[in-house]
Amino acid sequence: MDNCVFCKIIAGEIPSAKLYEDEKMIVIRDIEPKAPIHLLLIYKPHHKYISELNAKEQQEFGECLNKFAKMSKDFGLENGYRIIVNQGDNAGQTVPHIHVHVLGGKYLEFGNF
Ligand code: 5GP
Ligand code: ZN
């Protein structure tokens, strides 16, 4: 999609170190980390919301999460992590391209909502 920052990162048009890449997803570090480890798992096809995914994409997206879970130790997340998807305005979604925040590297309080 034109003017989508994550599509540009996926295409290499905006430089960003890819910690992991396969045909379906990339993993990068968030440019404004909210925890000692703050990664973004970005599903490659351009969609704003999970609800826009077709059946094949839903399966692929689930496989991406499963694949990430299996490699989480490689990113220093052996003591656990939190995954967050900001969906829409009330969640403060700023980039309209499906991505999963992965937060960890310390004990994360749960609250302040
Ligand atoms: P959202 O608010 O849409 O859930 O999350 C978007 C995230 O993308 C934010 O945490 C923001 O810091 C991050 N981000 C925005 N632009 C860039 C960029 O160019 N590079 C990287 N690595 N992260 C970005
Ligand atoms: Zn995009």
Side-chain angles (χ1 to χ4, degrees):
M1 264 302 233
D2 295 347
N3 284 327
C4 170
V5 62
F6 287 172
C7 280
K8 288 182 176 170
I9 287 174
I10 290 164
E13 293 165 16
I14 295 175
S16 183
K18 293 171 182 162
L19 305 183
Y20 175 79
E21 179 169 21
D22 64 23
E23 64 281 7
K24 302 297 177 214
M25 67 164 164
I26 61 169
V27 178
I28 62 172
R29 290 193 193 281
D30 196 291
I31 204 168
E32 289 182 44
K34 308 290 191 299
I37 300 172
H38 185 171
L39 310 179
L40 298 171
L41 183 166
I42 305 175
Y43 180 55
K44 285 188 173 179
H46 179 91
H47 295 289
K48 183 171 184 183
Y49 297 132
I50 290 171
S51 52
E52 295 172 355
L53 300 179
N54 65 33
K56 179 168 175 279
E57 291 169 331
Q58 288 171 35
Q59 182 174 347
E60 287 176 357
F61 183 64
E63 287 167 0
C64 289
L65 292 176
N66 192 258
K67 194 177 268 188
F68 181 84
K70 288 181 176 146
M71 3 181 239
S72 59
K73 290 187 183 66
D74 299 343
F75 301 112
L77 295 165
E78 55 278 349
N79 288 329
Y81 57 92
R82 181 170 296 151
I83 62 175
I84 293 174
V85 176
N86 290 325
Q87 161 122 351
D89 293 340
N90 268 9
Q93 182 177 5
T94 57
V95 178
H97 181 129
I98 294 172
H99 56 283
V100 178
H101 295 263
V102 182
L103 300 152
K106 69 167 189 179
Y107 179 78
L108 303 169
E109 298 289 343
F110 193 56
N112 283 326
F113 299 121

